[in-house]
Amino acid sequence: MQDSISAPSQSPLLSVRDLTVRFQGSDLPAVNQVSFELQPGQTLAIVGESGSGKSVTCLAMMGLIPQPLGEIVNGEILFRGRDSSEAVNLLNLSTAELRRYRGSQMGMIFQEPMTALNPVHSCGAQIIEAIRTHEDVSETAARRRALSLLREVKLLPSDETLAETYRDSWKGKTPPTSSELHRIVRSHKQTLMRRYPHELSGGQLQRMMIAMALSCNPTLLIADEPTTALDVTVQATILKQLRELRDRRDMAMVFISHDLGVVAEVADYIAVMYRGNMVEYGPAYNIFHRPQHPYTKGLLACRPQLKQEFKLLPTVADFMDEEQVEGQMPVITEKPIDLTQFLPDPVDSTGPSLPVTEPAPLPKLLLQVKDLQVSYPVKGPLGRVSQRIKAVDGVTFDIRAGETLGLVGESGCGKSTLARALLRLIPPTGGQVIFDGQDMAQLSDSKMRRLRRDMQIIFQDPNSALDPRMNVGAAIAEPLKIHKMPKHKGSEQNRSYRPQVAQLLQRVDLPADAMARYPHEFSGGQRQRICIARALALKPKFIICDESVSALDVSVQAQVLNLLKDLQADLGLTYLFISHDLSVVKFMSDRMIVMNQGRIEEMGDAAEIYGNPQRDYTKKLIASIPQVETYLEAG
């Protein structure tokens, strides 16, 4: 790998100069004098935490800054369109003129395809609409191109492959005729085109968005967090397809992410943004091997690593100090840091030998799961149950008090269904769940309510888990009220849950006065801390963390993971930690379960499973995880 990437001599496809964007109600610009260039066939990755200005920069390039709340107050965005020798400043174009470029020559993949796609129109109809909006073609021609795009993003096999697949399914029977095969293949393609967004998985939806963005053969593709919260295997597939499409079409790409591990897979150049400023910019090799800014060093260090053991994860705050000056950009200074403080304490093998003693007794079994099964009915055309799909199929494991058991697998493997069945939020169809010596299937509703004080869950999306109409204090106090926990003993006016709520907020490193504010006034990481405080309110013994950090920035994720470890050490908590990211599960867990299609593929010590996986499925999960250290080794 070269030490740097030399810029081609041709004129850049995109040139952003001193771009500044402001929003009403803010003293500081959301984007402050950002400049960069991009050549055809290159990928620029814009990296930073939420609120750093990544998406605002790209929305400005597309002319999508919301008016009148936002305003581009300075700068130029020069774009050299297809078959054009001179660049045009997109900021000087009218809305009608900008439409000639947006969609046709500049495509964009949004972060959340479920909100970007219209739920009342089929996916095929939306791709056809995108084509016909920018090109004067018939619906038949647009449909043919839409099918071609679906093949290009590997959502649809070729006609020959489909025909061969159906021909093989007739083995042992009378083979179909050519006309029958043609009709079956056409029906398969029509079925895919007629599907609505809710009928597709996350990876399929993202591919639909890519197909729509490519529908008019753009020369510039902007991908805004296209793999956030996707399974690692699906993420690897999407990244590979984006690279192939870029190379095949000689297309430039702007890739937005908060994860430098993902960026290592695709980027030629990297721009690191912090609080609207571009703090570092250069070839990817230089950014990874010789980062200059303390913020970049923090982002590189705070991602859990499969090949390195940590007792706690470093965070961005460990690398820099930030001095706030009212009305001005913060002043950042680098802090000296010794990364060995985050590593496990070394084992001293040179000291005097100790007398042999009896091994310490194992902690008691807190949760026992025996042959657990959960199935869902599938109704036929007449409304009768035609079959049952097994979401959890004969799962057996146990968790000891104070232990963290990791549960890893792709979406749809049964992780969340298993979690809900353990809490009896959905009824199991077979097997046993024994918690603290009590068979949950034998408990009455009142006893189950009492038992639920000891069992809590932290959900993946804090926005959905918190009621937007309740302030934080009321949300945290709600479980205390429901379970009629004793109030603070003191003077009459203080006989409330406010002291308990304040203590819980302080426990998760939030100020006590946060209880008067509402969820929308907090960042994503702060909202997840509020959910953790709510889960701790009843002093549980066992907490299920269901993908509780998968959608967080890597630096915020490190803070939340450290918090969960500290709380476990202080309060003696027991965790079932669910994630699709094996590196995060390995950092958090003592033991690990790998789950696939409702069954346990592999179970054992977390480090041993990573170091010596026994099953092909586990090896595939490990191989799919983007890792910065892999990039550095390749360099």
Side-chain angles (χ1 to χ4, degrees), residues 268-280:
D268 299 310
Y269 282 82
I270 296 176
V272 182
M273 293 191 69
Y274 180 70
R275 294 185 180 261
N277 291 279
M278 187 176 289
V279 297
E280 195 157 359

Side-chain angles (χ1 to χ4, degrees), residues 203 207 227-240 259 262 265 303 306 408-411 415 547 550 579-585 594 617-627:
R207 293 186 213 191
T227 61
T228 298
L230 291 181
D231 298 335
V232 287
T233 50
V234 179
Q235 174 180 267
T237 302
I238 296 294
L239 292 174
K240 180 182 177 182
D259 190 340
V262 171
E265 302 281 320
R303 181 76 163 83
L306 283 171
V408 67
E410 298 173 283
S411 293
K415 305 188 301 293
E547 299 275 12
S550 63
S579 179
H580 60 256
D581 188 337
L582 197 145
S583 60
V584 172
V585 171
V594 180
Y617 179 75
T618 311
K619 294 175 183 177
K620 183 180 75 169
L621 283 181
I622 294 172
S624 299
I625 300 172
Q627 289 289 314

Side-chain angles (χ1 to χ4, degrees), residues 393-589:
D393 188 9
V395 168
T396 299
F397 64 88
D398 53 54
I399 307 179
R400 294 188 177 274
E403 182 184 26
T404 298
L405 178 68
L407 179 58
V408 67
E410 298 173 283
S411 293
C413 72
K415 305 188 301 293
S416 294
T417 300
L418 172 61
R420 284 157 175 76
L422 295 181
L423 299 178
R424 221 171 83 175
L425 298 177
I426 55 175
T429 52
Q432 271 187 307
V433 178
I434 301 172
F435 181 78
D436 206 12
Q438 302 180 71
D439 187 342
M440 292 171 60
Q442 308 300 321
L443 298 180
S444 64
D445 289 343
S446 61
K447 289 184 178 179
M448 189 65 216
R449 179 186 287 262
R450 171 62 187 85
L451 190 66
R452 282 210 176 100
R453 296 183 190 176
D454 295 331
M455 309 172 74
Q456 293 293 308
I457 185 168
I458 304 169
F459 293 101
Q460 175 177 357
D461 184 5
N463 290 324
S464 302
L466 295 170
D467 189 333
R469 300 166 299 177
M470 296 175 67
N471 64 34
V472 167
I476 296 175
E478 187 179 33
L480 297 170
K481 293 179 181 178
I482 290 173
H483 288 274
K484 300 178 180 179
M485 302 299 287
K487 296 182 179 180
H488 179 72
K489 294 181 180 180
S491 59
E492 190 63 30
Q493 61 268 28
N494 287 332
R495 291 182 62 82
S496 70
Y497 291 117
R498 289 180 61 84
Q500 287 101 312
V501 171
Q503 187 177 22
L504 287 164
L505 286 170
Q506 291 169 358
R507 170 69 74 174
V508 297
D509 298 327
L510 288 175
D513 58 11
M515 68 176 72
R517 295 155 61 189
Y518 287 82
H520 71 272
E521 300 179 70
F522 295 87
S523 68
Q526 288 173 323
R527 281 193 290 266
Q528 198 60 283
R529 289 172 184 267
I530 293 166
C531 290
I532 294 171
R534 180 184 166 102
L536 294 174
L538 297 172
K539 300 180 179 179
K541 300 176 182 177
F542 175 59
I543 296 179
I544 296 176
C545 303
D546 188 4
E547 299 275 12
S548 53
V549 297
S550 63
L552 298 178
D553 296 336
V554 287
S555 56
V556 179
Q557 174 183 276
Q559 296 170 19
V560 173
L561 292 176
N562 288 343
L563 173 65
L564 289 171
K565 280 212 163 189
D566 288 340
L567 290 171
Q568 183 176 41
D570 292 344
L571 305 176
L573 298 172
T574 305
Y575 292 140
L576 175 64
F577 192 91
I578 300 173
S579 179
H580 60 256
D581 188 337
L582 197 145
S583 60
V584 172
V585 171
K586 178 177 176 288
F587 168 72
M588 284 294 298
S589 305

Side-chain angles (χ1 to χ4, degrees), residues 179-226:
S179 61
E180 286 175 333
L181 273 177
H182 178 73
R183 187 174 66 252
I184 291 169
V185 168
R186 185 175 61 186
S187 174
H188 181 99
K189 293 189 290 188
Q190 289 174 347
T191 299
L192 179 60
M193 291 285 284
R194 290 172 182 163
R195 284 188 179 176
Y196 288 84
H198 71 273
E199 297 179 286
L200 300 176
S201 69
Q204 290 173 322
L205 280 173
Q206 201 59 279
R207 293 186 213 191
M208 279 287 181
M209 282 294 302
I210 294 172
M212 192 177 300
L214 297 175
S215 59
C216 294
N217 194 27
T219 55
L220 172 66
L221 180 65
I222 300 172
D224 187 2
E225 299 270 15

Side-chain angles (χ1 to χ4, degrees), residues 46-48 54 223 225 227-228 255-260 262-263:
I46 303 180
V47 180
K54 309 185 302 293
E225 299 270 15
T227 61
T228 298
F255 190 96
I256 301 174
S257 180
H258 62 261
D259 190 340
L260 279 163
V262 171
V263 164

Side-chain angles (χ1 to χ4, degrees), residues 81-220:
R82 190 183 296 119
D83 303 324
S84 175
S85 58
E86 293 187 4
V88 60
N89 187 356
L90 299 178
L91 301 183
N92 293 337
L93 301 181
S94 65
T95 303
E97 290 172 326
L98 190 57
R99 286 199 189 104
R100 291 175 44 222
Y101 294 92
R102 187 171 58 210
S104 61
Q105 299 193 51
M106 302 169 63
M108 187 162 185
I109 305 168
F110 293 95
Q111 178 175 353
E112 181 47 68
M114 187 58 82
T115 57
L117 293 169
N118 192 326
V120 301
H121 293 288
S122 68
C123 294
Q126 294 182 64
I127 297 176
I128 291 171
E129 180 189 24
I131 295 171
R132 300 192 70 193
T133 297
H134 298 284
E135 297 187 20
D136 185 17
V137 296
S138 67
E139 184 168 352
T140 302
R143 181 177 295 275
R144 281 199 298 267
R145 188 186 298 180
L147 289 170
S148 176
L149 286 164
L150 294 180
R151 291 191 191 97
E152 192 170 9
V153 298
K154 296 182 172 59
L155 264 181
L156 182 67
S158 66
D159 289 358
E160 293 77 13
T161 303
L162 279 173
E164 190 65 31
T165 301
Y166 282 108
R167 191 180 289 112
D168 290 344
S169 67
W170 256 274
K171 284 183 177 179
K173 305 176 185 177
T174 304
T177 64
S178 296
S179 61
E180 286 175 333
L181 273 177
H182 178 73
R183 187 174 66 252
I184 291 169
V185 168
R186 185 175 61 186
S187 174
H188 181 99
K189 293 189 290 188
Q190 289 174 347
T191 299
L192 179 60
M193 291 285 284
R194 290 172 182 163
R195 284 188 179 176
Y196 288 84
H198 71 273
E199 297 179 286
L200 300 176
S201 69
Q204 290 173 322
L205 280 173
Q206 201 59 279
R207 293 186 213 191
M208 279 287 181
M209 282 294 302
I210 294 172
M212 192 177 300
L214 297 175
S215 59
C216 294
N217 194 27
T219 55
L220 172 66

Side-chain angles (χ1 to χ4, degrees), residues 374-388:
V374 182
S375 61
Y376 294 107
V378 177
K379 294 184 178 180
L382 298 178
R384 297 177 180 175
V385 176
S386 59
Q387 60 176 320
R388 299 186 73 90

